[in-house]
Amino acid sequence: MLQINNLHAEVDGKPILKGLSLSINAGEVHAIMGPNGAGKSTLSYVLAGRPGYEVTEGTATLDGQDLLALDPHERAAAGLFLGFQYPVEIPGVSNLQFLRTALNAQRKSRGEAELSGAEFLKVARAQAQALGLDMEMLKRPVNVGFSGGEKKRNEMVQMGIIDPKMAILDETDSGLDIDALRVIGDGINRIMRKDDKAVLLITHYQRLLDYVRPDFVHVLANGRIVRSGGPELALELEREGYGAIAA
Amino acid sequence: MTALALPTARQEAWRYSDLEAVAAVWPVPPAERINVAAGESAVRIVAPQAGADGVVIADYAVDIAAGGTCAFFILNIAGRLGRIAIDVTLHDGAHFELGGAIVGGAGQTLEIVTTVNHVEPNATSNQVVRSVLAGTATSSFLGKVAVARDAQKTDASQSVKAMLLDRTATANAKPELEIFADDVKCAHGATVGELDRQALFYLESRGLPPAEAKALLLQAFVAGAFVALEDDGARADLEAKALAALEALL
Ligand SMILES: Nc1ncnc2c1ncn2[C@@H]1O[C@H](COP(=O)(O)OP(=O)(O)OP(=O)(O)O)[C@@H](O)[C@H]1O
Ligand SMILES: [Mg+2]
């Protein structure tokens, strides 16, 4: 589903990704771990098309489609979803208004019928309830005044509403309390654990992986994947740290 | 009453105006008088329409008696020149509220000019202006606050913010204070900014095309001028008109 080949990217002229390759098939969950500053968020931004993140070499395709040639909104319509490490606050724009406009823009570009206000509300209510986010919060401006954990829940509600085929979740587990972690983990499984979907989890801790069991674990250090393995690799990392691997 | 002389750029209240456009329609009708009786309240919505070459010059003279309230909500988007001027006199404990939105492109000149005279004690005024400008459009908010000698406990505030979509657009914000009392609170804030890039990317990453993402952010910005408008229907109507004007700029 997601094919990344020898990807090089720089920010402000500074090389961050230095030949990163990764292949994710439909039906799989991959986890990327790695030291602070390794380039994990940079990878997620490059794939989502954030301005200022310049690809200097390599390719990235989603179901064979050249992601790097698309604008951010086209990547979303192609099925890519990024759960932000730091969700952005947008005063004056309500979550519901924004999500309905976004979802309908995606559907329109795929030639699907747009959802009416009532149809959309039904979907939004179901997702908010499943993820334990008060519907009243969805009426408020995007992430404004949300706690750290509420912002992460909101990211997952958005994912549930948009129903993407490939989700990159950047530290969705950080800032969550113990109960929230389980709710979010269940949510990711419910929304994304499907034969025709795939997930890339960026995380620092095993605890999320206890709920969302990865098929593959990779270590990203210094802009490249330096090691890959099965779920046991995460446990090994937790025991021994990155020192030996990322050196 | 004889017609006033044609304004010149040397007059402070006209220095940013499109005087050629002014000359074409001069003399303009006298100011419309609005008198708000003691303890009463009035709401006025001003959203002129005009073609691209049109000229709108509208003057109001407002007198608010003791304890009265008058609120003006303005959507200034139309014409080559759109100028709305309000001269307000506030008596004891009266309140004047202004929510003004300006949305302009091409070579439009759009102005809101206010003079708020606090002539007696305890009166308050609050003025909020939000402008979005593209092309070589110019917006001006000239807000004069005059506080008479015995108008103690005056509380006057102005918040003026502009968003420039092109480097070639201009936003002028000129507060002018003339204060002769000593127990007075006057607050003024003015900013000029551009769209928040992080917010834009966040919206786009969820599938909004750039023009729709910008429209959503700008609509929220402009709506800041109408929060004090209590009539939901009237507010929705102004917001929809503002959105249509914004979409035409993107
Ligand atoms: N705008 C920028 N200008 C210069 N350097 C940047 C910029 N943005 C990111 N970097 C650098 O790129 C490197 C990778 O950052 P990135 O956010 O991708 O790390 P990360 O692996 O996600 O780390 P963490 O685990 O702390 O979230 C860091 O050294 C960071 O300082
Ligand atoms: Mg990061």
Side-chain angles (χ1 to χ4, degrees):
Chain A
M1 172 166 288
L2 182 66
Q3 291 285 345
I4 305 170
N5 227 312
N6 188 33
L7 194 62
H8 292 252
E10 49 186 55
V11 185
D12 281 341
K14 181 182 163 195
I16 311 280
L17 300 184
K18 303 166 186 169
L20 188 146
S21 299
L22 185 65
S23 173
I24 299 178
N25 296 311
E28 293 176 353
V29 171
H30 290 233
I32 285 190
M33 306 180 81
N36 294 129
K40 303 180 299 295
S41 293
T42 302
L43 173 64
S44 73
Y45 289 142
V46 166
L47 293 174
R50 182 169 177 167
Y53 288 70
E54 205 197 331
V55 174
T56 52
E57 209 184 320
T59 58
T61 59
L62 183 67
D63 276 343
Q65 195 174 9
D66 180 4
L67 268 185
L68 305 179
L70 302 177
D71 287 337
H73 70 285
E74 297 168 330
R75 300 183 195 200
L80 184 71
F81 178 88
L82 171 59
F84 283 63
Q85 181 174 2
Y86 303 109
V88 181
E89 298 187 7
I90 310 184
V93 175
S94 93
N95 282 289
L96 287 174
Q97 180 194 15
F98 146 53
L99 285 169
R100 185 176 164 214
T101 318
L103 179 62
N104 279 336
Q106 285 199 26
R107 294 178 67 94
K108 202 165 129 191
S109 81
R110 291 192 294 257
E112 299 164 14
E114 297 185 22
L115 292 189
S116 71
E119 288 167 328
F120 171 77
L121 271 182
K122 206 173 140 191
V123 174
R125 200 170 282 125
Q127 294 299 337
Q129 192 174 19
L131 287 150
L133 191 74
D134 192 339
M135 194 63 187
E136 286 305 308
M137 297 200 73
L138 281 187
K139 294 178 185 160
R140 298 201 340 219
V142 180
N143 292 321
V144 177
F146 285 35
S147 73
E150 287 165 347
K151 285 180 183 167
K152 296 301 176 75
R153 272 182 208 253
N154 191 17
E155 292 292 284
M156 293 303 94
V157 171
Q158 294 183 29
M159 182 172 81
I161 291 172
I162 289 171
D163 196 21
K165 73 183 175 198
M166 173 78 226
I168 301 169
L169 305 181
D170 192 358
E171 295 197 28
T172 298
D173 53 335
S174 60
L176 294 179
D177 68 46
I178 297 162
D179 295 338
L181 190 65
R182 182 179 27 244
V183 172
I184 295 295
D186 289 347
I188 296 171
N189 287 329
R190 175 178 57 80
I191 299 163
M192 298 302 298
R193 257 294 184 199
K194 305 208 167 131
D195 290 345
D196 56 348
K197 295 186 173 203
V199 181
L200 180 57
L201 293 171
I202 296 171
T203 183
H204 284 296
Y205 304 104
Q206 170 64 33
R207 56 188 187 194
L208 177 66
L209 305 181
D210 289 338
Y211 295 108
V212 186
R213 307 205 58 86
D215 303 294
F216 299 94
V217 174
H218 311 274
V219 180
L220 199 168
N222 198 18
R224 325 165 51 149
I225 303 291
V226 295
R227 209 174 139 190
S228 297
E232 72 289 345
L233 179 55
L235 297 166
E236 182 189 330
L237 288 169
E238 195 131 69
R239 258 193 335 266
E240 296 172 17
Y242 295 114
I245 291 168
Chain B
M1 190 171 137
T2 55
L4 292 171
L6 186 66
T8 72
R10 255 171 292 160
Q11 288 163 265
E12 186 60 30
W14 293 91
R15 59 185 286 196
Y16 304 108
S17 202
D18 178 349
L19 293 170
E20 208 179 283
V22 175
V25 297
W26 202 261
V28 295
E32 178 185 338
R33 305 209 146 267
I34 297 171
N35 294 314
V36 180
E40 298 288 301
S41 66
V43 176
R44 194 59 185 260
I45 290 170
V46 181
Q49 292 181 312
D53 296 329
V55 178
V56 175
I57 298 180
D59 283 271
Y60 299 87
V62 183
D63 188 276
I64 312 173
T69 294
C70 184
F72 263 75
F73 296 97
I74 296 172
L75 180 61
N76 190 359
I77 55 175
R80 166 183 171 181
L81 170 66
R83 177 185 173 96
I84 291 148
I86 310 173
D87 190 304
V88 185
T89 299
L90 292 167
H91 298 276
D92 197 340
H95 178 73
F96 173 64
E97 181 80 32
L98 169 74
I102 293 175
V103 179
Q108 284 181 287
T109 300
L110 300 169
E111 307 182 296
I112 296 176
V113 181
T114 63
T115 302
V116 179
N117 302 290
H118 288 254
V119 298
E120 289 176 17
N122 307 313
T124 54
S125 60
N126 183 44
Q127 305 184 69
V128 177
V129 177
R130 299 288 178 264
S131 311
V132 177
L133 302 162
T136 54
T138 301
S139 80
S140 301
F141 172 69
L142 309 177
K144 179 173 170 180
V145 173
V147 182
R149 200 169 305 278
D150 63 350
Q152 304 296 356
K153 306 278 181 207
T154 285
D155 189 339
S157 70
Q158 296 180 355
S159 158
V160 186
K161 292 184 185 169
M163 196 82 92
L164 303 183
L165 304 184
D166 295 307
R167 292 275 146 103
T168 45
T170 308
N172 302 303
K174 287 269 152 143
E176 197 187 333
L177 298 175
E178 227 180 62
I179 303 174
F180 293 105
D182 45 30
D183 186 6
V184 166
K185 233 166 70 184
C186 287
H188 172 83
T191 61
V192 176
E194 295 172 12
L195 280 172
D196 179 347
R197 284 161 192 278
Q198 281 207 62
L200 260 186
F201 173 62
Y202 189 73
L203 296 176
E204 289 177 25
S205 79
R206 299 297 183 246
L208 280 175
E212 283 186 52
K214 285 178 189 164
L216 211 53
L217 292 179
L218 292 171
Q219 186 188 20
F221 173 76
V222 165
F226 304 133
V227 286
L229 178 53
E230 284 166 11
D231 178 341
D232 290 338
R235 194 176 58 246
D237 180 53
L238 281 178
E239 286 179 2
K241 284 182 178 142
L243 179 62
L246 288 169
E247 281 170 344
L249 296 184
L250 298 169

